[in-house]
Short mmCIF file of all heavy atoms in Angstrom, two decimals:
data_model
loop_
_atom_site.label_atom_id
_atom_site.label_comp_id
_atom_site.label_asym_id
_atom_site.label_seq_id
_atom_site.Cartn_x
_atom_site.Cartn_y
_atom_site.Cartn_z
N MET A 1 -107.31 18.81 18.24
CA MET A 1 -106.96 17.87 17.20
C MET A 1 -107.07 18.59 15.85
O MET A 1 -108.10 19.13 15.51
CB MET A 1 -107.94 16.69 17.28
CG MET A 1 -107.98 15.85 16.05
SD MET A 1 -109.19 14.50 15.99
CE MET A 1 -110.26 14.73 17.33
N THR A 2 -105.99 18.60 15.11
CA THR A 2 -105.98 19.16 13.78
C THR A 2 -105.73 18.04 12.79
O THR A 2 -104.77 17.30 12.91
CB THR A 2 -104.88 20.23 13.63
OG1 THR A 2 -105.11 21.24 14.61
CG2 THR A 2 -104.89 20.83 12.26
N ALA A 3 -106.64 17.91 11.83
CA ALA A 3 -106.50 16.88 10.81
C ALA A 3 -106.95 17.47 9.49
O ALA A 3 -107.87 18.27 9.44
CB ALA A 3 -107.34 15.66 11.17
N THR A 4 -106.28 17.07 8.42
CA THR A 4 -106.65 17.55 7.10
C THR A 4 -106.90 16.37 6.17
O THR A 4 -106.48 15.25 6.44
CB THR A 4 -105.54 18.44 6.49
OG1 THR A 4 -104.38 17.65 6.31
CG2 THR A 4 -105.25 19.63 7.38
N ALA A 5 -107.62 16.64 5.09
CA ALA A 5 -107.89 15.64 4.07
C ALA A 5 -107.91 16.34 2.72
O ALA A 5 -108.13 17.55 2.65
CB ALA A 5 -109.22 14.94 4.33
N THR A 6 -107.70 15.60 1.66
CA THR A 6 -107.68 16.14 0.31
C THR A 6 -108.85 15.58 -0.49
O THR A 6 -109.14 14.39 -0.43
CB THR A 6 -106.36 15.77 -0.40
OG1 THR A 6 -105.27 16.26 0.39
CG2 THR A 6 -106.29 16.37 -1.78
N LEU A 7 -109.53 16.46 -1.22
CA LEU A 7 -110.64 16.04 -2.08
C LEU A 7 -110.07 15.32 -3.30
O LEU A 7 -109.22 15.85 -4.00
CB LEU A 7 -111.43 17.28 -2.52
CG LEU A 7 -112.70 17.06 -3.31
CD1 LEU A 7 -113.75 16.33 -2.47
CD2 LEU A 7 -113.26 18.39 -3.79
N SER A 8 -110.55 14.09 -3.53
CA SER A 8 -110.03 13.29 -4.64
C SER A 8 -110.65 13.73 -5.96
O SER A 8 -111.59 14.53 -5.99
CB SER A 8 -110.32 11.81 -4.42
OG SER A 8 -111.68 11.53 -4.67
N SER A 9 -110.15 13.18 -7.06
CA SER A 9 -110.69 13.50 -8.39
C SER A 9 -112.12 12.99 -8.53
O SER A 9 -112.85 13.44 -9.40
CB SER A 9 -109.80 12.89 -9.48
OG SER A 9 -109.75 11.48 -9.33
N LYS A 10 -112.53 12.06 -7.66
CA LYS A 10 -113.92 11.56 -7.65
C LYS A 10 -114.77 12.30 -6.63
O LYS A 10 -115.87 11.88 -6.30
CB LYS A 10 -113.93 10.06 -7.34
CG LYS A 10 -113.28 9.22 -8.40
CD LYS A 10 -113.39 7.76 -8.04
CE LYS A 10 -112.76 6.90 -9.12
NZ LYS A 10 -112.90 5.48 -8.82
N PHE A 11 -114.25 13.43 -6.12
CA PHE A 11 -114.93 14.28 -5.14
C PHE A 11 -115.23 13.52 -3.85
O PHE A 11 -116.29 13.68 -3.25
CB PHE A 11 -116.20 14.90 -5.73
CG PHE A 11 -115.91 15.80 -6.89
CD1 PHE A 11 -116.05 15.34 -8.19
CD2 PHE A 11 -115.45 17.09 -6.70
CE1 PHE A 11 -115.75 16.15 -9.27
CE2 PHE A 11 -115.15 17.91 -7.76
CZ PHE A 11 -115.30 17.44 -9.06
N GLN A 12 -114.28 12.70 -3.41
CA GLN A 12 -114.40 11.96 -2.16
C GLN A 12 -113.35 12.45 -1.18
O GLN A 12 -112.26 12.85 -1.58
CB GLN A 12 -114.22 10.46 -2.40
CG GLN A 12 -115.27 9.87 -3.30
CD GLN A 12 -114.97 8.43 -3.68
OE1 GLN A 12 -113.81 8.02 -3.68
NE2 GLN A 12 -116.00 7.67 -3.98
N ILE A 13 -113.70 12.39 0.12
CA ILE A 13 -112.77 12.75 1.18
C ILE A 13 -112.74 11.60 2.18
O ILE A 13 -113.79 11.10 2.59
CB ILE A 13 -113.21 14.05 1.89
CG1 ILE A 13 -113.12 15.24 0.94
CG2 ILE A 13 -112.37 14.29 3.14
CD1 ILE A 13 -113.59 16.54 1.54
N SER A 14 -111.55 11.20 2.58
CA SER A 14 -111.41 10.20 3.63
C SER A 14 -111.29 10.94 4.96
O SER A 14 -110.46 11.84 5.11
CB SER A 14 -110.16 9.35 3.41
OG SER A 14 -110.33 8.56 2.26
N ILE A 15 -112.11 10.56 5.92
CA ILE A 15 -112.07 11.19 7.23
C ILE A 15 -110.88 10.59 7.99
O ILE A 15 -110.77 9.37 8.11
CB ILE A 15 -113.39 10.96 7.99
CG1 ILE A 15 -114.55 11.56 7.19
CG2 ILE A 15 -113.32 11.56 9.39
CD1 ILE A 15 -115.91 11.18 7.71
N PRO A 16 -109.99 11.44 8.49
CA PRO A 16 -108.81 10.94 9.19
C PRO A 16 -109.17 10.01 10.36
O PRO A 16 -110.18 10.21 11.04
CB PRO A 16 -108.12 12.21 9.69
CG PRO A 16 -108.58 13.26 8.74
CD PRO A 16 -109.99 12.90 8.40
N LYS A 17 -108.34 9.01 10.59
CA LYS A 17 -108.60 8.00 11.61
C LYS A 17 -108.78 8.62 13.00
O LYS A 17 -109.65 8.21 13.75
CB LYS A 17 -107.45 6.98 11.64
CG LYS A 17 -107.67 5.86 12.60
CD LYS A 17 -106.56 4.83 12.53
CE LYS A 17 -106.83 3.67 13.46
NZ LYS A 17 -105.77 2.67 13.38
N ALA A 18 -107.98 9.62 13.33
CA ALA A 18 -108.08 10.25 14.65
C ALA A 18 -109.46 10.87 14.86
O ALA A 18 -110.02 10.79 15.96
CB ALA A 18 -107.00 11.31 14.81
N VAL A 19 -110.03 11.46 13.81
CA VAL A 19 -111.36 12.07 13.90
C VAL A 19 -112.42 10.98 14.03
O VAL A 19 -113.32 11.07 14.87
CB VAL A 19 -111.64 12.96 12.67
CG1 VAL A 19 -113.06 13.49 12.68
CG2 VAL A 19 -110.63 14.10 12.59
N ARG A 20 -112.33 9.94 13.20
CA ARG A 20 -113.30 8.83 13.26
C ARG A 20 -113.33 8.20 14.64
O ARG A 20 -114.40 7.93 15.20
CB ARG A 20 -112.96 7.76 12.23
CG ARG A 20 -113.11 8.20 10.79
CD ARG A 20 -113.00 7.01 9.84
NE ARG A 20 -111.94 6.07 10.13
CZ ARG A 20 -110.76 6.04 9.51
NH1 ARG A 20 -110.49 6.91 8.55
NH2 ARG A 20 -109.86 5.14 9.82
N GLU A 21 -112.14 7.96 15.19
CA GLU A 21 -112.08 7.31 16.50
C GLU A 21 -112.60 8.23 17.61
O GLU A 21 -113.31 7.78 18.51
CB GLU A 21 -110.65 6.87 16.80
CG GLU A 21 -110.23 5.69 15.94
CD GLU A 21 -108.79 5.26 16.19
OE1 GLU A 21 -108.02 6.03 16.82
OE2 GLU A 21 -108.44 4.15 15.73
N ALA A 22 -112.25 9.51 17.54
CA ALA A 22 -112.70 10.46 18.58
C ALA A 22 -114.23 10.61 18.57
O ALA A 22 -114.85 10.79 19.62
CB ALA A 22 -112.03 11.81 18.37
N GLN A 23 -114.83 10.52 17.38
CA GLN A 23 -116.29 10.70 17.24
C GLN A 23 -117.04 9.37 17.28
O GLN A 23 -118.27 9.36 17.25
CB GLN A 23 -116.60 11.43 15.94
CG GLN A 23 -116.06 12.84 15.87
CD GLN A 23 -116.64 13.73 16.94
OE1 GLN A 23 -117.83 13.66 17.24
NE2 GLN A 23 -115.81 14.56 17.54
N HIS A 24 -116.32 8.26 17.31
CA HIS A 24 -116.92 6.91 17.30
C HIS A 24 -117.76 6.68 16.05
O HIS A 24 -118.83 6.08 16.11
CB HIS A 24 -117.76 6.67 18.57
CG HIS A 24 -117.00 6.93 19.82
ND1 HIS A 24 -116.01 6.09 20.29
CD2 HIS A 24 -117.07 7.96 20.71
CE1 HIS A 24 -115.51 6.59 21.40
NE2 HIS A 24 -116.13 7.72 21.68
N TRP A 25 -117.28 7.18 14.91
CA TRP A 25 -117.97 6.98 13.64
C TRP A 25 -117.61 5.63 13.06
O TRP A 25 -116.47 5.17 13.18
CB TRP A 25 -117.62 8.09 12.65
CG TRP A 25 -118.20 9.43 13.04
CD1 TRP A 25 -119.20 9.67 13.93
CD2 TRP A 25 -117.82 10.70 12.53
NE1 TRP A 25 -119.46 11.02 14.02
CE2 TRP A 25 -118.63 11.67 13.17
CE3 TRP A 25 -116.87 11.11 11.62
CZ2 TRP A 25 -118.53 13.02 12.91
CZ3 TRP A 25 -116.77 12.46 11.35
CH2 TRP A 25 -117.59 13.41 11.98
N GLN A 26 -118.59 4.99 12.41
CA GLN A 26 -118.41 3.66 11.84
C GLN A 26 -118.66 3.67 10.34
O GLN A 26 -119.39 4.52 9.84
CB GLN A 26 -119.39 2.67 12.50
CG GLN A 26 -119.24 2.58 14.01
CD GLN A 26 -117.92 1.99 14.43
OE1 GLN A 26 -117.45 1.04 13.82
NE2 GLN A 26 -117.31 2.56 15.46
N ALA A 27 -118.09 2.70 9.64
CA ALA A 27 -118.32 2.55 8.20
C ALA A 27 -119.81 2.30 7.98
O ALA A 27 -120.45 1.57 8.74
CB ALA A 27 -117.50 1.39 7.65
N GLY A 28 -120.37 2.92 6.97
CA GLY A 28 -121.78 2.75 6.64
C GLY A 28 -122.70 3.73 7.34
O GLY A 28 -123.89 3.79 7.05
N GLN A 29 -122.16 4.50 8.27
CA GLN A 29 -122.97 5.49 8.99
C GLN A 29 -123.37 6.61 8.04
O GLN A 29 -122.59 7.01 7.17
CB GLN A 29 -122.16 6.04 10.17
CG GLN A 29 -122.94 6.85 11.14
CD GLN A 29 -122.11 7.18 12.39
OE1 GLN A 29 -120.97 6.76 12.53
NE2 GLN A 29 -122.70 7.92 13.29
N GLU A 30 -124.58 7.14 8.20
CA GLU A 30 -125.09 8.19 7.31
C GLU A 30 -124.83 9.57 7.92
O GLU A 30 -124.94 9.75 9.13
CB GLU A 30 -126.60 8.00 7.11
CG GLU A 30 -127.19 8.91 6.08
CD GLU A 30 -128.67 8.63 5.83
OE1 GLU A 30 -129.25 7.75 6.49
OE2 GLU A 30 -129.23 9.30 4.96
N PHE A 31 -124.46 10.54 7.07
CA PHE A 31 -124.15 11.89 7.52
C PHE A 31 -124.95 12.92 6.72
O PHE A 31 -125.39 12.66 5.62
CB PHE A 31 -122.65 12.18 7.33
CG PHE A 31 -121.78 11.40 8.26
CD1 PHE A 31 -121.39 10.11 7.94
CD2 PHE A 31 -121.37 11.94 9.46
CE1 PHE A 31 -120.60 9.37 8.80
CE2 PHE A 31 -120.57 11.22 10.33
CZ PHE A 31 -120.20 9.93 10.00
N VAL A 32 -125.09 14.09 7.31
CA VAL A 32 -125.75 15.21 6.64
C VAL A 32 -124.74 16.35 6.55
O VAL A 32 -123.91 16.53 7.44
CB VAL A 32 -127.03 15.64 7.41
CG1 VAL A 32 -126.71 16.12 8.80
CG2 VAL A 32 -127.80 16.71 6.65
N PHE A 33 -124.77 17.08 5.44
CA PHE A 33 -123.91 18.23 5.23
C PHE A 33 -124.75 19.50 5.37
O PHE A 33 -125.72 19.68 4.63
CB PHE A 33 -123.28 18.19 3.83
CG PHE A 33 -122.30 17.05 3.66
CD1 PHE A 33 -122.75 15.78 3.33
CD2 PHE A 33 -120.95 17.26 3.85
CE1 PHE A 33 -121.85 14.73 3.18
CE2 PHE A 33 -120.05 16.22 3.71
CZ PHE A 33 -120.50 14.95 3.37
N ILE A 34 -124.37 20.38 6.30
CA ILE A 34 -125.12 21.60 6.57
C ILE A 34 -124.24 22.79 6.20
O ILE A 34 -123.21 23.02 6.84
CB ILE A 34 -125.53 21.67 8.05
CG1 ILE A 34 -126.32 20.41 8.43
CG2 ILE A 34 -126.33 22.94 8.34
CD1 ILE A 34 -126.52 20.23 9.92
N PRO A 35 -124.63 23.57 5.17
CA PRO A 35 -123.84 24.75 4.78
C PRO A 35 -123.81 25.78 5.91
O PRO A 35 -124.83 26.08 6.52
CB PRO A 35 -124.58 25.31 3.57
CG PRO A 35 -125.43 24.19 3.07
CD PRO A 35 -125.78 23.37 4.28
N LYS A 36 -122.62 26.27 6.24
CA LYS A 36 -122.43 27.28 7.29
C LYS A 36 -121.46 28.33 6.76
O LYS A 36 -120.25 28.14 6.80
CB LYS A 36 -121.85 26.65 8.56
CG LYS A 36 -122.79 25.76 9.30
CD LYS A 36 -123.80 26.58 10.05
CE LYS A 36 -124.64 25.70 10.95
NZ LYS A 36 -125.60 26.45 11.70
N GLY A 37 -121.99 29.43 6.23
CA GLY A 37 -121.13 30.48 5.70
C GLY A 37 -120.29 29.95 4.56
O GLY A 37 -120.79 29.43 3.58
N LYS A 38 -118.97 30.03 4.71
CA LYS A 38 -118.06 29.52 3.69
C LYS A 38 -117.62 28.09 3.96
O LYS A 38 -116.80 27.54 3.25
CB LYS A 38 -116.83 30.42 3.61
CG LYS A 38 -117.14 31.80 3.08
CD LYS A 38 -115.87 32.60 2.90
CE LYS A 38 -116.21 33.96 2.33
NZ LYS A 38 -115.02 34.72 1.98
N GLY A 39 -118.18 27.47 4.99
CA GLY A 39 -117.82 26.11 5.35
C GLY A 39 -119.02 25.19 5.35
O GLY A 39 -120.12 25.57 4.94
N VAL A 40 -118.81 23.99 5.83
CA VAL A 40 -119.86 22.97 5.89
C VAL A 40 -119.74 22.25 7.23
O VAL A 40 -118.64 21.89 7.65
CB VAL A 40 -119.73 21.95 4.75
CG1 VAL A 40 -120.77 20.85 4.87
CG2 VAL A 40 -119.85 22.63 3.40
N LEU A 41 -120.88 22.03 7.88
CA LEU A 41 -120.92 21.26 9.11
C LEU A 41 -121.31 19.84 8.76
O LEU A 41 -122.28 19.61 8.06
CB LEU A 41 -121.96 21.89 10.06
CG LEU A 41 -122.18 21.22 11.40
CD1 LEU A 41 -120.90 21.26 12.23
CD2 LEU A 41 -123.31 21.91 12.13
N LEU A 42 -120.53 18.89 9.22
CA LEU A 42 -120.78 17.48 8.95
C LEU A 42 -121.31 16.85 10.23
O LEU A 42 -120.65 16.89 11.27
CB LEU A 42 -119.48 16.78 8.53
CG LEU A 42 -119.52 15.27 8.34
CD1 LEU A 42 -120.39 14.92 7.13
CD2 LEU A 42 -118.12 14.73 8.17
N MET A 43 -122.53 16.30 10.17
CA MET A 43 -123.16 15.72 11.35
C MET A 43 -123.68 14.33 11.03
O MET A 43 -124.26 14.12 9.96
CB MET A 43 -124.35 16.58 11.80
CG MET A 43 -123.99 17.97 12.25
SD MET A 43 -123.18 18.01 13.83
CE MET A 43 -124.43 17.33 14.88
N PRO A 44 -123.52 13.37 11.95
CA PRO A 44 -124.11 12.06 11.72
C PRO A 44 -125.63 12.14 11.87
O PRO A 44 -126.14 12.87 12.71
CB PRO A 44 -123.49 11.19 12.82
CG PRO A 44 -123.02 12.14 13.86
CD PRO A 44 -122.73 13.43 13.17
N VAL A 45 -126.34 11.41 11.04
CA VAL A 45 -127.80 11.34 11.13
C VAL A 45 -128.11 10.39 12.29
O VAL A 45 -127.63 9.26 12.30
CB VAL A 45 -128.41 10.82 9.81
CG1 VAL A 45 -129.90 10.62 9.95
CG2 VAL A 45 -128.09 11.78 8.66
N PRO A 46 -128.89 10.84 13.28
CA PRO A 46 -129.16 9.97 14.43
C PRO A 46 -130.06 8.80 14.06
O PRO A 46 -130.91 8.90 13.18
CB PRO A 46 -129.85 10.90 15.43
CG PRO A 46 -130.39 12.01 14.62
CD PRO A 46 -129.52 12.14 13.40
N GLU A 47 -129.85 7.68 14.77
CA GLU A 47 -130.73 6.53 14.62
C GLU A 47 -132.05 6.85 15.33
O GLU A 47 -132.08 7.66 16.25
CB GLU A 47 -130.09 5.30 15.27
CG GLU A 47 -128.79 4.87 14.62
CD GLU A 47 -128.99 4.29 13.24
OE1 GLU A 47 -130.06 3.71 12.99
OE2 GLU A 47 -128.08 4.42 12.41
N LEU A 48 -133.12 6.22 14.92
CA LEU A 48 -134.44 6.46 15.50
C LEU A 48 -134.42 6.23 17.02
O LEU A 48 -135.02 6.99 17.78
CB LEU A 48 -135.48 5.55 14.83
CG LEU A 48 -136.93 5.81 15.19
CD1 LEU A 48 -137.33 7.25 14.89
CD2 LEU A 48 -137.84 4.85 14.44
N GLU A 49 -133.69 5.21 17.48
CA GLU A 49 -133.64 4.90 18.90
C GLU A 49 -132.99 6.04 19.70
O GLU A 49 -133.31 6.26 20.86
CB GLU A 49 -132.84 3.61 19.15
CG GLU A 49 -133.43 2.37 18.50
CD GLU A 49 -133.02 2.23 17.03
OE1 GLU A 49 -131.86 2.53 16.67
OE2 GLU A 49 -133.88 1.83 16.24
N GLN A 50 -132.07 6.77 19.07
CA GLN A 50 -131.39 7.87 19.75
C GLN A 50 -132.32 9.06 19.96
O GLN A 50 -132.04 9.92 20.80
CB GLN A 50 -130.17 8.33 18.95
CG GLN A 50 -129.08 7.29 18.87
CD GLN A 50 -127.97 7.73 17.94
OE1 GLN A 50 -128.22 8.10 16.79
NE2 GLN A 50 -126.74 7.70 18.43
N LEU A 51 -133.42 9.14 19.21
CA LEU A 51 -134.35 10.26 19.31
C LEU A 51 -135.45 10.03 20.35
O LEU A 51 -136.17 10.96 20.69
CB LEU A 51 -134.98 10.53 17.94
CG LEU A 51 -134.00 10.92 16.83
CD1 LEU A 51 -134.73 11.07 15.51
CD2 LEU A 51 -133.27 12.19 17.18
N ALA A 52 -135.55 8.80 20.86
CA ALA A 52 -136.59 8.49 21.84
C ALA A 52 -136.41 9.37 23.08
O ALA A 52 -135.33 9.45 23.65
CB ALA A 52 -136.53 7.01 22.22
N GLY A 53 -137.47 10.06 23.46
CA GLY A 53 -137.46 10.90 24.66
C GLY A 53 -136.86 12.27 24.46
O GLY A 53 -136.73 13.02 25.43
N ILE A 54 -136.51 12.64 23.24
CA ILE A 54 -135.85 13.93 23.00
C ILE A 54 -136.74 15.12 23.35
O ILE A 54 -136.26 16.17 23.74
CB ILE A 54 -135.33 14.02 21.55
CG1 ILE A 54 -134.31 15.15 21.42
CG2 ILE A 54 -136.46 14.20 20.57
CD1 ILE A 54 -133.57 15.16 20.11
N ALA A 55 -138.06 14.95 23.24
CA ALA A 55 -138.98 16.05 23.53
C ALA A 55 -139.67 15.89 24.89
O ALA A 55 -140.64 16.57 25.18
CB ALA A 55 -140.03 16.14 22.43
N LYS A 56 -139.13 15.02 25.74
CA LYS A 56 -139.71 14.80 27.06
C LYS A 56 -139.74 16.11 27.83
O LYS A 56 -138.74 16.82 27.92
CB LYS A 56 -138.91 13.75 27.82
CG LYS A 56 -139.50 13.39 29.15
CD LYS A 56 -138.69 12.30 29.82
CE LYS A 56 -139.31 11.93 31.14
NZ LYS A 56 -138.52 10.88 31.80
N GLY A 57 -140.89 16.45 28.36
CA GLY A 57 -141.04 17.68 29.14
C GLY A 57 -141.33 18.90 28.29
O GLY A 57 -141.47 20.00 28.83
N ALA A 58 -141.44 18.75 26.98
CA ALA A 58 -141.74 19.90 26.11
C ALA A 58 -143.17 20.37 26.34
O ALA A 58 -144.07 19.58 26.58
CB ALA A 58 -141.54 19.52 24.65
N ARG A 59 -143.35 21.67 26.27
CA ARG A 59 -144.70 22.22 26.44
C ARG A 59 -145.53 21.92 25.21
O ARG A 59 -145.06 22.04 24.08
CB ARG A 59 -144.61 23.73 26.63
CG ARG A 59 -143.98 24.12 27.95
CD ARG A 59 -143.89 25.61 28.12
NE ARG A 59 -145.13 26.27 27.72
CZ ARG A 59 -145.22 27.57 27.49
NH1 ARG A 59 -144.16 28.33 27.56
NH2 ARG A 59 -146.37 28.11 27.14
N THR A 60 -146.77 21.55 25.43
CA THR A 60 -147.67 21.26 24.31
C THR A 60 -148.68 22.37 24.10
O THR A 60 -149.50 22.30 23.20
CB THR A 60 -148.42 19.93 24.55
OG1 THR A 60 -149.14 20.02 25.78
CG2 THR A 60 -147.44 18.77 24.60
N ASP A 61 -148.63 23.41 24.93
CA ASP A 61 -149.54 24.54 24.76
C ASP A 61 -148.75 25.74 24.24
O ASP A 61 -147.53 25.81 24.37
CB ASP A 61 -150.22 24.89 26.09
CG ASP A 61 -149.22 25.28 27.16
OD1 ASP A 61 -148.09 24.74 27.14
OD2 ASP A 61 -149.56 26.10 28.02
N ASP A 62 -149.43 26.67 23.65
CA ASP A 62 -148.83 27.92 23.20
C ASP A 62 -147.66 27.71 22.23
O ASP A 62 -146.62 28.34 22.34
CB ASP A 62 -148.38 28.77 24.39
CG ASP A 62 -148.12 30.21 23.97
OD1 ASP A 62 -148.80 30.71 23.05
OD2 ASP A 62 -147.21 30.84 24.55
N TYR A 63 -147.81 26.79 21.30
CA TYR A 63 -146.77 26.58 20.30
C TYR A 63 -147.23 27.17 18.97
O TYR A 63 -148.42 27.32 18.72
CB TYR A 63 -146.44 25.10 20.12
CG TYR A 63 -147.57 24.27 19.54
CD1 TYR A 63 -147.66 24.08 18.18
CD2 TYR A 63 -148.52 23.69 20.37
CE1 TYR A 63 -148.69 23.34 17.63
CE2 TYR A 63 -149.56 22.94 19.83
CZ TYR A 63 -149.64 22.77 18.47
OH TYR A 63 -150.66 22.04 17.95
N ARG A 64 -146.29 27.53 18.14
CA ARG A 64 -146.62 28.10 16.83
C ARG A 64 -146.87 26.99 15.84
O ARG A 64 -146.25 25.94 15.87
CB ARG A 64 -145.48 28.99 16.33
CG ARG A 64 -145.33 30.24 17.16
CD ARG A 64 -144.35 31.18 16.53
NE ARG A 64 -144.86 31.56 15.22
CZ ARG A 64 -144.12 32.15 14.29
NH1 ARG A 64 -142.88 32.42 14.51
NH2 ARG A 64 -144.64 32.48 13.13
N ASP A 65 -147.78 27.27 14.93
CA ASP A 65 -148.09 26.33 13.88
C ASP A 65 -147.99 27.04 12.55
O ASP A 65 -147.83 28.26 12.49
CB ASP A 65 -149.51 25.77 14.08
CG ASP A 65 -149.76 24.48 13.31
OD1 ASP A 65 -148.85 24.05 12.58
OD2 ASP A 65 -150.85 23.92 13.44
N ARG A 66 -148.07 26.31 11.48
CA ARG A 66 -147.98 26.93 10.16
C ARG A 66 -149.09 27.95 9.92
O ARG A 66 -148.91 28.89 9.15
CB ARG A 66 -148.04 25.84 9.07
CG ARG A 66 -146.83 24.94 9.08
CD ARG A 66 -146.87 24.00 7.88
NE ARG A 66 -145.83 23.01 7.94
CZ ARG A 66 -144.57 23.22 7.58
NH1 ARG A 66 -144.20 24.39 7.15
NH2 ARG A 66 -143.68 22.25 7.67
N GLU A 67 -150.21 27.79 10.57
CA GLU A 67 -151.35 28.67 10.34
C GLU A 67 -151.11 30.08 10.83
O GLU A 67 -151.73 31.03 10.37
CB GLU A 67 -152.59 28.10 11.01
CG GLU A 67 -153.02 26.78 10.41
CD GLU A 67 -154.16 26.12 11.17
OE1 GLU A 67 -154.68 26.73 12.13
OE2 GLU A 67 -154.55 25.00 10.80
N ASP A 68 -150.19 30.29 11.80
CA ASP A 68 -149.98 31.64 12.34
C ASP A 68 -148.71 32.30 11.78
O ASP A 68 -148.25 33.28 12.30
CB ASP A 68 -149.95 31.62 13.86
CG ASP A 68 -148.77 30.86 14.43
OD1 ASP A 68 -148.06 30.20 13.65
OD2 ASP A 68 -148.56 30.93 15.65
N ARG A 69 -148.20 31.75 10.70
CA ARG A 69 -147.02 32.36 10.06
C ARG A 69 -147.46 33.28 8.93
O ARG A 69 -148.52 33.13 8.36
CB ARG A 69 -146.10 31.28 9.51
CG ARG A 69 -145.56 30.39 10.60
CD ARG A 69 -144.68 29.34 10.04
NE ARG A 69 -144.36 28.36 11.08
CZ ARG A 69 -143.69 27.26 10.88
NH1 ARG A 69 -143.23 26.98 9.68
NH2 ARG A 69 -143.46 26.44 11.86
N TYR A 70 -146.60 34.20 8.59
CA TYR A 70 -146.93 35.15 7.52
C TYR A 70 -146.55 34.61 6.17
O TYR A 70 -145.71 33.87 5.96
CB TYR A 70 -146.20 36.47 7.75
CG TYR A 70 -146.64 37.14 9.02
CD1 TYR A 70 -145.81 37.13 10.14
CD2 TYR A 70 -147.87 37.75 9.12
CE1 TYR A 70 -146.20 37.73 11.32
CE2 TYR A 70 -148.27 38.34 10.31
CZ TYR A 70 -147.43 38.34 11.39
OH TYR A 70 -147.84 38.92 12.54
#
């Protein structure tokens, strides 16, 4: 899928309908912009419910903490 958008004079971009529908994005959804080289990665901010169980099975021993950093 190739889609383009133009930056408006108010520095706004409309996300093309094909992209919104493919990603199931909704009006009012919050996004984060992550700089990547000469581009930007656009990611939706997950809801708290979507994060439940994300660390299930993670090891709780032998992890690094701020105290062991240089």
Side-chain angles (χ1 to χ4, degrees):
M1 163 184 11
T2 302
T4 64
T6 303
L7 185 64
S8 75
S9 60
K10 294 183 179 182
F11 298 99
Q12 297 172 334
I13 294 177
S14 293
I15 300 170
K17 184 176 183 179
V19 174
R20 294 190 316 260
E21 289 178 346
Q23 297 298 319
H24 307 287
W25 290 344
Q26 302 294 319
Q29 191 171 358
E30 188 176 2
F31 291 84
V32 62
F33 293 84
I34 304 168
K36 290 284 188 180
K38 292 185 178 187
V40 176
L41 179 63
L42 174 67
M43 296 288 298
V45 174
E47 297 290 331
L48 188 57
E49 299 83 39
Q50 294 174 308
L51 299 176
I54 196 170
K56 185 177 181 180
R59 291 179 45 195
T60 58
D61 60 328
D62 196 32
Y63 66 91
R64 291 188 62 195
D65 198 357
R66 294 187 187 279
E67 295 174 4
D68 66 350
R69 298 179 190 175
Y70 298 105

